[in-house]
Amino acid sequence: MTGIIEAHNLRKNYGSLVAVDGISFTVRKGEVFGFLGPNGAGKTTTMKMIACVSPRSSGVLRVFDQDPDVQPAEIKQRLGVVPQETNLDPDFTCFGNLATYAGYFSIPPHSAQKKADELLDFVQLLEKRDVEVEKLSGGMKRRLILARALVNGPDLLILDEPTIGLDPQARHLIWEKLKTLQAQGNTIVLTTHYLDEAARLCDRLVIMDHGKILVEGAPADLVKQHVGDEIVEVEKSAEVLACLAAHNIPHEVTGDTVQIATDSSREIAKILFNSCQPKKMLTRPATLEDVFLKLTGRTLRD
Amino acid sequence: MTHLFSVPPVSGRAIRVWHRNLVVFVRTWKVNFFPPFIDALLYLFAIGMGIGSYIKEVDGVPYINFIAPAILAISVMNSAFFECTYGSYVRMYYQKSFDAMIATPLSIEDVIAGELLWGATRSVMYVAIMLPVLFAFGVISLPLSLLALPLAFLGGLMFAGIGMCITAITPGIDSLNYPMFLFITPMMLFSGTFFPLTLLPVAFQYIAVALLPLTHVVAIMRMFTLPALSWTILLHLAWIAAVTILFCVMSINLMKKRLIV
C-alpha cells in the first residue's frame, strides 16, 4: 500500500545552503507522524514542500500519489495547514476568517457558513464568533488557525509547531482536538519542539538534524533502542566520576549532574551506593528528550 | 523556471482574492466612500474655482472643465497604485495574507492577479463616486463621460501592475515613498493634467508621451468628458494596453520570485 506522503531522497537548497539533504520517509493513512529536530534542522522546509508552497530542488515527493510540482491545486484542496506563524486575516472576525478561507476552497457560501459555525464550536470559540481576531489571546488564535485548517474537511493535516507559545491548558485542548481528529481517521503530520508533545501524539516520528533524518520509529521504540528504559541521575563529584570510570559504566556529564542510561537502574544504583558515595541520586524513566539530546547534542543552534 | 516575461498560469480562483478584498471594502465602506467624494470637492474648489478664476479658459475650454478629467485620471492612478503598493505590501508582509492564501488551492499567480484586479476595481469605484459630483457641478458631459468607468478599469489595471512590480522588489514599506515622490507626484503635475502638454518644452512633451502613463489616461479621459473624441484615442489605448500587459505579467512573475522560495 502506498502512503499518503511518499518522499524519496527529497532535497531542498536555498542557494548554497542545503536545508533538506536527501530525506526519505512514508506517512501512512490514519497515523500521526512527527518531525522533530533542533532549529534549522529542515522541518519547516519539509512541511512547506509537502504543502506545495515551496518547490523541491530534487528527489521524489508524492502527496496523495500526486506530484506537488504538477498538481498543487488538487493536492492543496485536500490539505489542512496550520502554519508556525499566526497568519489569520486581521480584517475579519473569527467567523469571517473561516467563511472567507472556505471560499478559497470554492466551498459555496451557505455550506461555508455552516461549517464555520461547526468548527468554532469544535475549537470552543463559538462565543467569540463575531469578535475581530486581533482581540483574541494567543491560545485562541492558535485554536482558530486549527479550525481554519479544517474548513475543507482535509484528508491530511499539516501542523508546524501547533502549540508553540501556548499555556498548558491551551496545549492540552489542542492535543485533545488532534486526538479526536485522528480518531476520525485523519492523517496528521506535525513538527514540534516539545518532546512530550511528540511522545504523546505521534504514532511514528523522525528526528532530523542538519537536513537529514537521524532516526525513525515509534516514540517508545526509539527511547528503548537509543537510550534504554531508565536514566539514573547523580550529582557530579570527583568520586562519582572516578568510580564510574573504574566500573566502566558509560555516562554523560551535563552541568553538575551525571546521567547514566540503563535497562536496569537497580543494578547501577547498587554499584553507586556501594562504592561511589553518591550525594543526590534519582532514577527516572528515559524519555524522548534523552534520545533527542543524545542524537542532536547539547549545543545551542540559534 | 519562471522568467520575467513568461505568461503566468492564472486560474479563475483569482476572483476569490478579489472577492475577499471587496468584502473588506464593504465592511469598511464609511472610510472608503468619503475620500473620493471630498477629493473631488477639494480639487474643484481649490484649483477649479481658485486658480480657475484667474485662468478662465484653456484652448477655448473653461478651466474647470479642462481639469475635471485630470481629477478623474489622477484618482485612477492614485487609487490603484496605492492599493497595489501600500495595500498589497501590508497584506503580503505584515498580515501574511498571501501565505495563508497559497496554502489553499489558490496559487501565488491567482493571488497576485486577484490583487491587480482589485486595484483596478478600486479605481473604478473612486471614479464612480466622483462622477456624480463633477456632473453636479456641470463640468463634465454625459453620457460619454460614463466611459470613464471602463477607462478607470483599464488605467487602474496599468497602475496596479506598475505598483505591484514595485511592491515585489521593495526592500521595505518605507522605500515605497520613493516611487511616490519620484514617479507619482511628477506625473500628477506634468501629464497634461492642470495645464496642456504643449506648454512644456518639446523634449519634455516627448518624454511625457513616451514614458508617463498618466498622460494617456488624461488624454482619453478628456476626450470623454469634454467631449472631444479623436482617432488618436486608439494610439493612447494601444499604449495603455501594451504597458498594462507588460507590467501585470512582470509583477506576477516578480512576486512569485519574491514569495516562492
Side-chain angles (χ1 to χ4, degrees):
Chain A
M1 182 192 127
T2 55
I4 296 283
I5 308 172
E6 302 263 3
H8 186 68
N9 208 11
L10 182 60
R11 187 179 290 274
K12 177 77 191 184
N13 310 321
Y14 295 114
S16 62
L17 177 85
V18 182
V20 172
D21 192 3
I23 61 172
S24 303
F25 59 89
T26 301
V27 175
R28 302 182 201 120
K29 188 168 166 36
E31 74 177 342
V32 179
F33 191 91
F35 283 84
L36 275 58
N39 288 335
K43 307 182 299 288
T44 296
T45 305
T46 307
M47 294 302 112
K48 285 187 172 168
M49 287 192 282
I50 297 170
C52 313
V53 295
S54 180
R56 63 185 184 272
S57 301
S58 65
V60 178
L61 179 62
R62 310 281 296 173
V63 182
F64 305 124
D65 209 20
Q66 290 168 315
D67 186 335
D69 283 351
V70 183
Q71 290 166 294
E74 286 81 355
I75 294 174
K76 290 194 285 183
Q77 184 72 38
R78 300 170 63 188
L79 286 186
V81 180
V82 173
Q84 200 174 112
E85 226 167 7
T86 300
N87 57 11
L88 293 164
D89 197 327
D91 293 327
F92 288 104
T93 61
C94 293
F95 177 81
N97 259 276
L98 299 185
T100 308
Y101 212 68
Y104 301 154
F105 289 92
S106 307
I107 298 170
H110 180 72
S111 342
Q113 288 163 12
K114 197 165 149 258
K115 188 81 182 170
D117 277 326
E118 273 171 36
L119 287 169
L120 285 173
D121 190 29
F122 178 69
V123 296
Q124 300 177 19
L125 282 174
L126 210 46
E127 71 271 33
K128 300 284 178 189
R129 183 182 189 275
D130 299 315
V131 172
E132 299 291 322
V133 294
E134 293 292 89
K135 300 207 168 72
L136 298 182
S137 71
M140 290 176 183
K141 283 183 183 165
R142 292 307 286 179
R143 269 145 64 196
L144 187 59
I145 289 191
L146 177 62
R148 192 183 67 177
L150 299 170
V151 285
N152 57 328
D155 296 319
L156 169 62
L157 202 52
I158 298 173
L159 306 113
D160 197 358
E161 307 278 355
T163 63
I164 195 159
L166 296 188
D167 64 22
Q169 286 82 358
R171 290 177 74 198
H172 276 271
L173 182 73
I174 298 257
W175 291 344
E176 191 193 307
K177 297 303 167 193
L178 293 180
K179 284 284 180 198
T180 311
L181 290 168
Q182 190 198 9
Q184 290 166 1
N186 287 280
T187 309
I188 300 175
V189 173
L190 61 91
T191 76
T192 181
H193 277 132
Y194 301 116
L195 296 149
D196 56 329
E197 176 166 295
R200 189 184 287 255
L201 293 176
C202 297
D203 299 311
R204 288 191 309 136
L205 55 86
V206 294
I207 296 181
M208 286 183 77
D209 201 8
H210 303 297
K212 287 189 157 70
I213 290 178
L214 303 177
V215 289
E216 175 186 332
D221 295 346
L222 288 176
V223 174
K224 202 159 173 53
Q225 193 181 330
H226 292 277
V227 184
D229 289 331
E230 287 169 308
I231 302 279
V232 178
E233 288 188 357
V234 59
E235 200 174 307
K236 187 172 93 177
S237 69
E239 293 93 340
V240 168
L241 287 176
C243 173
L244 286 170
H247 283 88
N248 234 345
I249 298 170
H251 57 276
E252 196 191 353
V253 182
T254 58
D256 46 11
T257 19
V258 181
Q259 297 200 347
I260 304 130
T262 173
D263 288 332
S264 160
S265 59
R266 289 179 71 149
E267 222 164 89
I268 295 285
K270 211 161 141 191
I271 297 172
L272 283 166
F273 270 126
N274 290 344
S275 47
C276 305
Q277 292 96 42
K279 278 183 208 147
K280 269 186 209 155
M281 188 167 78
L282 69 88
T283 303
R284 60 172 176 83
T287 65
L288 206 50
E289 188 139 346
D290 299 307
V291 181
F292 187 87
L293 290 172
K294 182 180 172 194
L295 294 173
T296 61
R298 288 178 182 274
T299 328
L300 274 182
R301 300 310 173 95
D302 283 331
Chain B
M1 265 318 284
T2 303
H3 298 284
L4 196 53
F5 301 111
S6 38
V7 178
V10 174
S11 82
R13 294 186 192 93
I15 209 71
R16 302 276 170 191
V17 180
W18 177 87
H19 184 255
R20 178 249 171 234
N21 290 338
L22 178 69
V23 173
V24 175
F25 181 86
V26 171
R27 253 173 76 92
T28 52
W29 68 273
K30 282 180 204 136
V31 288
N32 296 321
F33 181 78
F34 287 103
F37 197 75
I38 304 292
D39 236 22
L41 290 177
L42 287 178
Y43 274 112
L44 284 177
F45 279 111
I47 296 179
M49 293 170 189
I51 299 175
S53 63
Y54 288 95
I55 298 173
K56 308 286 191 225
E57 280 190 357
V58 172
D59 299 340
V61 174
Y63 186 64
I64 198 165
N65 294 30
F66 178 81
I67 63 152
I71 298 172
L72 290 171
I74 290 169
S75 303
V76 166
M77 169 177 77
N78 282 342
S79 39
F81 191 82
F82 191 88
E83 187 64 34
C84 288
T85 49
Y86 289 100
S88 295
Y89 190 84
V90 165
R91 286 190 285 276
M92 168 184 80
Y93 187 82
Y94 294 100
Q95 303 188 353
K96 311 280 177 205
S97 300
F98 298 178
D99 292 343
M101 287 172 177
I102 59 171
T104 73
L106 294 164
S107 67
I108 190 64
E109 289 91 345
D110 298 335
V111 173
I112 304 305
E115 289 276 309
L116 293 171
L117 287 175
W118 174 245
T121 307
R122 283 300 297 262
S123 298
V124 174
M125 288 171 160
Y126 219 98
V127 166
I129 298 169
M130 280 184 143
L131 277 176
V133 180
L134 297 177
F135 182 70
F137 278 82
V139 295
I140 56 171
S141 69
L142 289 180
L144 211 55
S145 290
L146 289 177
L147 288 175
L149 295 170
L151 176 62
F153 189 83
L154 179 62
L157 201 55
M158 170 170 66
F159 286 111
I162 296 170
M164 193 62 83
C165 282
I166 292 167
T167 305
I169 57 172
T170 189
I173 196 160
D174 295 326
S175 311
L176 292 178
N177 288 331
Y178 290 108
M180 279 294 173
F181 71 81
L182 291 177
F183 180 61
I184 295 298
T185 309
M187 219 169 6
M188 192 177 110
L189 297 172
F190 296 105
S191 300
T193 44
F194 302 115
F195 58 88
L197 270 185
T198 46
L199 292 183
L200 289 171
V202 178
F204 283 99
Q205 288 183 38
Y206 282 123
I207 292 175
V209 171
L211 297 179
L212 300 184
L214 188 61
T215 307
H216 302 277
V217 181
V218 172
I220 301 176
M221 198 66 92
R222 196 163 277 139
M223 291 185 198
F224 290 161
T225 63
L226 286 180
L229 282 178
S230 130
W231 68 271
T232 53
I233 192 174
L234 297 176
L235 296 180
H236 294 298
L237 281 173
W239 194 98
I240 293 176
V243 171
T244 303
I245 292 169
L246 181 69
F247 278 90
C248 285
V249 165
M250 282 200 305
S251 75
I252 293 177
N253 291 325
L254 284 170
M255 269 294 188
K256 183 171 184 183
K257 200 172 158 219
R258 175 170 188 145
L259 294 175
I260 303 296
V261 289

PDB file of all heavy atoms in Angstrom, chain A residues 224-249:
ATOM      1  N   LYS A 224      13.691   3.115  23.811  1.00  0.00           N
ATOM      2  CA  LYS A 224      14.258   1.828  24.223  1.00  0.00           C
ATOM      3  C   LYS A 224      15.541   1.521  23.446  1.00  0.00           C
ATOM      4  O   LYS A 224      16.563   1.135  24.016  1.00  0.00           O
ATOM      5  CB  LYS A 224      13.220   0.736  23.977  1.00  0.00           C
ATOM      6  CG  LYS A 224      13.447  -0.494  24.818  1.00  0.00           C
ATOM      7  CD  LYS A 224      12.176  -1.306  24.931  1.00  0.00           C
ATOM      8  CE  LYS A 224      12.469  -2.635  25.641  1.00  0.00           C
ATOM      9  NZ  LYS A 224      13.151  -2.468  26.917  1.00  0.00           N
ATOM     10  N   GLN A 225      15.468   1.788  22.161  1.00  0.00           N
ATOM     11  CA  GLN A 225      16.565   1.441  21.274  1.00  0.00           C
ATOM     12  C   GLN A 225      17.790   2.338  21.493  1.00  0.00           C
ATOM     13  O   GLN A 225      18.917   1.872  21.473  1.00  0.00           O
ATOM     14  CB  GLN A 225      16.024   1.608  19.857  1.00  0.00           C
ATOM     15  CG  GLN A 225      16.846   1.043  18.758  1.00  0.00           C
ATOM     16  CD  GLN A 225      16.128   1.342  17.434  1.00  0.00           C
ATOM     17  OE1 GLN A 225      14.887   1.427  17.377  1.00  0.00           O
ATOM     18  NE2 GLN A 225      16.899   1.532  16.391  1.00  0.00           N
ATOM     19  N   HIS A 226      17.568   3.619  21.719  1.00  0.00           N
ATOM     20  CA  HIS A 226      18.696   4.549  21.740  1.00  0.00           C
ATOM     21  C   HIS A 226      19.151   4.954  23.126  1.00  0.00           C
ATOM     22  O   HIS A 226      20.271   5.429  23.298  1.00  0.00           O
ATOM     23  CB  HIS A 226      18.373   5.798  20.920  1.00  0.00           C
ATOM     24  CG  HIS A 226      18.259   5.519  19.470  1.00  0.00           C
ATOM     25  ND1 HIS A 226      19.351   5.457  18.632  1.00  0.00           N
ATOM     26  CD2 HIS A 226      17.184   5.215  18.711  1.00  0.00           C
ATOM     27  CE1 HIS A 226      18.950   5.159  17.401  1.00  0.00           C
ATOM     28  NE2 HIS A 226      17.644   5.004  17.431  1.00  0.00           N
ATOM     29  N   VAL A 227      18.292   4.811  24.103  1.00  0.00           N
ATOM     30  CA  VAL A 227      18.705   5.218  25.445  1.00  0.00           C
ATOM     31  C   VAL A 227      18.594   4.051  26.431  1.00  0.00           C
ATOM     32  O   VAL A 227      19.524   3.762  27.177  1.00  0.00           O
ATOM     33  CB  VAL A 227      17.834   6.385  25.964  1.00  0.00           C
ATOM     34  CG1 VAL A 227      18.362   6.841  27.323  1.00  0.00           C
ATOM     35  CG2 VAL A 227      17.869   7.540  24.988  1.00  0.00           C
ATOM     36  N   GLY A 228      17.499   3.364  26.388  1.00  0.00           N
ATOM     37  CA  GLY A 228      17.268   2.301  27.367  1.00  0.00           C
ATOM     38  C   GLY A 228      15.997   2.607  28.124  1.00  0.00           C
ATOM     39  O   GLY A 228      15.238   3.502  27.734  1.00  0.00           O
ATOM     40  N   ASP A 229      15.757   1.867  29.186  1.00  0.00           N
ATOM     41  CA  ASP A 229      14.499   2.044  29.906  1.00  0.00           C
ATOM     42  C   ASP A 229      14.541   3.227  30.853  1.00  0.00           C
ATOM     43  O   ASP A 229      13.585   3.960  31.001  1.00  0.00           O
ATOM     44  CB  ASP A 229      14.169   0.783  30.712  1.00  0.00           C
ATOM     45  CG  ASP A 229      13.762  -0.343  29.795  1.00  0.00           C
ATOM     46  OD1 ASP A 229      13.223  -0.024  28.724  1.00  0.00           O
ATOM     47  OD2 ASP A 229      14.002  -1.509  30.131  1.00  0.00           O
ATOM     48  N   GLU A 230      15.684   3.338  31.550  1.00  0.00           N
ATOM     49  CA  GLU A 230      15.706   4.311  32.629  1.00  0.00           C
ATOM     50  C   GLU A 230      16.979   5.135  32.618  1.00  0.00           C
ATOM     51  O   GLU A 230      17.991   4.769  32.020  1.00  0.00           O
ATOM     52  CB  GLU A 230      15.584   3.569  33.974  1.00  0.00           C
ATOM     53  CG  GLU A 230      14.202   3.046  34.213  1.00  0.00           C
ATOM     54  CD  GLU A 230      14.153   2.104  35.391  1.00  0.00           C
ATOM     55  OE1 GLU A 230      14.956   1.148  35.430  1.00  0.00           O
ATOM     56  OE2 GLU A 230      13.334   2.334  36.277  1.00  0.00           O
ATOM     57  N   ILE A 231      16.903   6.250  33.338  1.00  0.00           N
ATOM     58  CA  ILE A 231      18.056   7.125  33.493  1.00  0.00           C
ATOM     59  C   ILE A 231      18.327   7.261  34.993  1.00  0.00           C
ATOM     60  O   ILE A 231      17.404   7.525  35.767  1.00  0.00           O
ATOM     61  CB  ILE A 231      17.777   8.531  32.946  1.00  0.00           C
ATOM     62  CG1 ILE A 231      17.384   8.480  31.463  1.00  0.00           C
ATOM     63  CG2 ILE A 231      18.966   9.451  33.166  1.00  0.00           C
ATOM     64  CD1 ILE A 231      18.514   8.367  30.497  1.00  0.00           C
ATOM     65  N   VAL A 232      19.557   7.056  35.385  1.00  0.00           N
ATOM     66  CA  VAL A 232      19.950   7.349  36.762  1.00  0.00           C
ATOM     67  C   VAL A 232      20.712   8.670  36.725  1.00  0.00           C
ATOM     68  O   VAL A 232      21.643   8.835  35.939  1.00  0.00           O
ATOM     69  CB  VAL A 232      20.846   6.229  37.333  1.00  0.00           C
ATOM     70  CG1 VAL A 232      21.281   6.586  38.755  1.00  0.00           C
ATOM     71  CG2 VAL A 232      20.121   4.902  37.307  1.00  0.00           C
ATOM     72  N   GLU A 233      20.260   9.597  37.532  1.00  0.00           N
ATOM     73  CA  GLU A 233      20.941  10.901  37.603  1.00  0.00           C
ATOM     74  C   GLU A 233      21.598  11.032  38.968  1.00  0.00           C
ATOM     75  O   GLU A 233      20.954  10.813  40.000  1.00  0.00           O
ATOM     76  CB  GLU A 233      19.940  12.044  37.407  1.00  0.00           C
ATOM     77  CG  GLU A 233      19.438  12.153  35.988  1.00  0.00           C
ATOM     78  CD  GLU A 233      18.598  13.406  35.738  1.00  0.00           C
ATOM     79  OE1 GLU A 233      18.361  14.163  36.709  1.00  0.00           O
ATOM     80  OE2 GLU A 233      18.194  13.609  34.610  1.00  0.00           O
ATOM     81  N   VAL A 234      22.829  11.423  38.941  1.00  0.00           N
ATOM     82  CA  VAL A 234      23.551  11.518  40.207  1.00  0.00           C
ATOM     83  C   VAL A 234      24.362  12.807  40.198  1.00  0.00           C
ATOM     84  O   VAL A 234      24.821  13.258  39.148  1.00  0.00           O
ATOM     85  CB  VAL A 234      24.414  10.255  40.430  1.00  0.00           C
ATOM     86  CG1 VAL A 234      25.400  10.064  39.313  1.00  0.00           C
ATOM     87  CG2 VAL A 234      25.126  10.283  41.759  1.00  0.00           C
ATOM     88  N   GLU A 235      24.462  13.425  41.361  1.00  0.00           N
ATOM     89  CA  GLU A 235      25.174  14.698  41.432  1.00  0.00           C
ATOM     90  C   GLU A 235      26.654  14.487  41.114  1.00  0.00           C
ATOM     91  O   GLU A 235      27.254  13.523  41.571  1.00  0.00           O
ATOM     92  CB  GLU A 235      25.009  15.285  42.835  1.00  0.00           C
ATOM     93  CG  GLU A 235      25.283  16.767  42.872  1.00  0.00           C
ATOM     94  CD  GLU A 235      24.954  17.339  44.250  1.00  0.00           C
ATOM     95  OE1 GLU A 235      23.830  17.114  44.734  1.00  0.00           O
ATOM     96  OE2 GLU A 235      25.839  17.987  44.836  1.00  0.00           O
ATOM     97  N   LYS A 236      27.206  15.424  40.352  1.00  0.00           N
ATOM     98  CA  LYS A 236      28.580  15.247  39.895  1.00  0.00           C
ATOM     99  C   LYS A 236      29.564  15.481  41.038  1.00  0.00           C
ATOM    100  O   LYS A 236      29.447  16.441  41.799  1.00  0.00           O
ATOM    101  CB  LYS A 236      28.875  16.237  38.767  1.00  0.00           C
ATOM    102  CG  LYS A 236      30.227  16.012  38.097  1.00  0.00           C
ATOM    103  CD  LYS A 236      30.381  16.887  36.876  1.00  0.00           C
ATOM    104  CE  LYS A 236      31.082  18.188  37.244  1.00  0.00           C
ATOM    105  NZ  LYS A 236      31.317  19.026  36.048  1.00  0.00           N
ATOM    106  N   SER A 237      30.520  14.561  41.163  1.00  0.00           N
ATOM    107  CA  SER A 237      31.623  14.778  42.099  1.00  0.00           C
ATOM    108  C   SER A 237      32.802  13.966  41.594  1.00  0.00           C
ATOM    109  O   SER A 237      32.627  13.060  40.768  1.00  0.00           O
ATOM    110  CB  SER A 237      31.228  14.325  43.508  1.00  0.00           C
ATOM    111  OG  SER A 237      31.103  12.913  43.512  1.00  0.00           O
ATOM    112  N   ALA A 238      33.967  14.306  42.038  1.00  0.00           N
ATOM    113  CA  ALA A 238      35.174  13.638  41.567  1.00  0.00           C
ATOM    114  C   ALA A 238      35.095  12.137  41.859  1.00  0.00           C
ATOM    115  O   ALA A 238      35.435  11.299  41.022  1.00  0.00           O
ATOM    116  CB  ALA A 238      36.405  14.244  42.231  1.00  0.00           C
ATOM    117  N   GLU A 239      34.573  11.818  43.070  1.00  0.00           N
ATOM    118  CA  GLU A 239      34.487  10.403  43.466  1.00  0.00           C
ATOM    119  C   GLU A 239      33.574   9.635  42.513  1.00  0.00           C
ATOM    120  O   GLU A 239      33.918   8.549  42.032  1.00  0.00           O
ATOM    121  CB  GLU A 239      33.911  10.256  44.892  1.00  0.00           C
ATOM    122  CG  GLU A 239      34.793  10.783  45.994  1.00  0.00           C
ATOM    123  CD  GLU A 239      34.474  12.223  46.349  1.00  0.00           C
ATOM    124  OE1 GLU A 239      33.852  12.910  45.496  1.00  0.00           O
ATOM    125  OE2 GLU A 239      34.830  12.670  47.439  1.00  0.00           O
ATOM    126  N   VAL A 240      32.410  10.217  42.263  1.00  0.00           N
ATOM    127  CA  VAL A 240      31.439   9.533  41.410  1.00  0.00           C
ATOM    128  C   VAL A 240      32.033   9.287  40.029  1.00  0.00           C
ATOM    129  O   VAL A 240      31.930   8.189  39.466  1.00  0.00           O
ATOM    130  CB  VAL A 240      30.131  10.352  41.321  1.00  0.00           C
ATOM    131  CG1 VAL A 240      29.238   9.819  40.218  1.00  0.00           C
ATOM    132  CG2 VAL A 240      29.406  10.333  42.657  1.00  0.00           C
ATOM    133  N   LEU A 241      32.674  10.320  39.471  1.00  0.00           N
ATOM    134  CA  LEU A 241      33.233  10.192  38.124  1.00  0.00           C
ATOM    135  C   LEU A 241      34.314   9.114  38.089  1.00  0.00           C
ATOM    136  O   LEU A 241      34.345   8.262  37.189  1.00  0.00           O
ATOM    137  CB  LEU A 241      33.811  11.530  37.652  1.00  0.00           C
ATOM    138  CG  LEU A 241      32.757  12.593  37.274  1.00  0.00           C
ATOM    139  CD1 LEU A 241      33.435  13.895  36.915  1.00  0.00           C
ATOM    140  CD2 LEU A 241      31.883  12.101  36.132  1.00  0.00           C
ATOM    141  N   ALA A 242      35.182   9.138  39.096  1.00  0.00           N
ATOM    142  CA  ALA A 242      36.270   8.165  39.147  1.00  0.00           C
ATOM    143  C   ALA A 242      35.704   6.753  39.286  1.00  0.00           C
ATOM    144  O   ALA A 242      36.143   5.806  38.615  1.00  0.00           O
ATOM    145  CB  ALA A 242      37.184   8.486  40.325  1.00  0.00           C
ATOM    146  N   CYS A 243      34.706   6.660  40.121  1.00  0.00           N
ATOM    147  CA  CYS A 243      34.085   5.379  40.401  1.00  0.00           C
ATOM    148  C   CYS A 243      33.412   4.798  39.160  1.00  0.00           C
ATOM    149  O   CYS A 243      33.557   3.618  38.837  1.00  0.00           O
ATOM    150  CB  CYS A 243      33.104   5.593  41.546  1.00  0.00           C
ATOM    151  SG  CYS A 243      32.103   4.204  41.927  1.00  0.00           S
ATOM    152  N   LEU A 244      32.664   5.688  38.401  1.00  0.00           N
ATOM    153  CA  LEU A 244      32.002   5.209  37.192  1.00  0.00           C
ATOM    154  C   LEU A 244      33.026   4.737  36.173  1.00  0.00           C
ATOM    155  O   LEU A 244      32.841   3.724  35.495  1.00  0.00           O
ATOM    156  CB  LEU A 244      31.136   6.329  36.594  1.00  0.00           C
ATOM    157  CG  LEU A 244      29.840   6.648  37.345  1.00  0.00           C
ATOM    158  CD1 LEU A 244      29.212   7.915  36.801  1.00  0.00           C
ATOM    159  CD2 LEU A 244      28.852   5.492  37.252  1.00  0.00           C
ATOM    160  N   ALA A 245      34.115   5.500  36.090  1.00  0.00           N
ATOM    161  CA  ALA A 245      35.172   5.130  35.156  1.00  0.00           C
ATOM    162  C   ALA A 245      35.770   3.789  35.559  1.00  0.00           C
ATOM    163  O   ALA A 245      36.021   2.920  34.714  1.00  0.00           O
ATOM    164  CB  ALA A 245      36.247   6.217  35.138  1.00  0.00           C
ATOM    165  N   ALA A 246      35.978   3.611  36.854  1.00  0.00           N
ATOM    166  CA  ALA A 246      36.583   2.371  37.353  1.00  0.00           C
ATOM    167  C   ALA A 246      35.692   1.170  37.040  1.00  0.00           C
ATOM    168  O   ALA A 246      36.179   0.092  36.715  1.00  0.00           O
ATOM    169  CB  ALA A 246      36.806   2.479  38.853  1.00  0.00           C
ATOM    170  N   HIS A 247      34.341   1.396  37.129  1.00  0.00           N
ATOM    171  CA  HIS A 247      33.440   0.290  36.855  1.00  0.00           C
ATOM    172  C   HIS A 247      33.060   0.177  35.385  1.00  0.00           C
ATOM    173  O   HIS A 247      32.220  -0.653  35.025  1.00  0.00           O
ATOM    174  CB  HIS A 247      32.152   0.444  37.693  1.00  0.00           C
ATOM    175  CG  HIS A 247      32.337   0.066  39.117  1.00  0.00           C
ATOM    176  ND1 HIS A 247      32.765   0.959  40.073  1.00  0.00           N
ATOM    177  CD2 HIS A 247      32.171  -1.121  39.750  1.00  0.00           C
ATOM    178  CE1 HIS A 247      32.844   0.362  41.226  1.00  0.00           C
ATOM    179  NE2 HIS A 247      32.493  -0.923  41.064  1.00  0.00           N
ATOM    180  N   ASN A 248      33.669   1.069  34.589  1.00  0.00           N
ATOM    181  CA  ASN A 248      33.422   1.008  33.143  1.00  0.00           C
ATOM    182  C   ASN A 248      31.955   1.217  32.773  1.00  0.00           C
ATOM    183  O   ASN A 248      31.427   0.563  31.885  1.00  0.00           O
ATOM    184  CB  ASN A 248      33.884  -0.355  32.611  1.00  0.00           C
ATOM    185  CG  ASN A 248      34.860  -0.152  31.464  1.00  0.00           C
ATOM    186  OD1 ASN A 248      34.944   0.964  30.930  1.00  0.00           O
ATOM    187  ND2 ASN A 248      35.585  -1.183  31.110  1.00  0.00           N
ATOM    188  N   ILE A 249      31.303   2.123  33.505  1.00  0.00           N
ATOM    189  CA  ILE A 249      29.898   2.401  33.222  1.00  0.00           C
ATOM    190  C   ILE A 249      29.801   3.636  32.319  1.00  0.00           C
ATOM    191  O   ILE A 249      30.256   4.707  32.711  1.00  0.00           O
ATOM    192  CB  ILE A 249      29.113   2.658  34.532  1.00  0.00           C
ATOM    193  CG1 ILE A 249      29.167   1.396  35.414  1.00  0.00           C
ATOM    194  CG2 ILE A 249      27.675   3.058  34.240  1.00  0.00           C
ATOM    195  CD1 ILE A 249      28.654   1.608  36.804  1.00  0.00           C
TER     196      ILE A 249
END
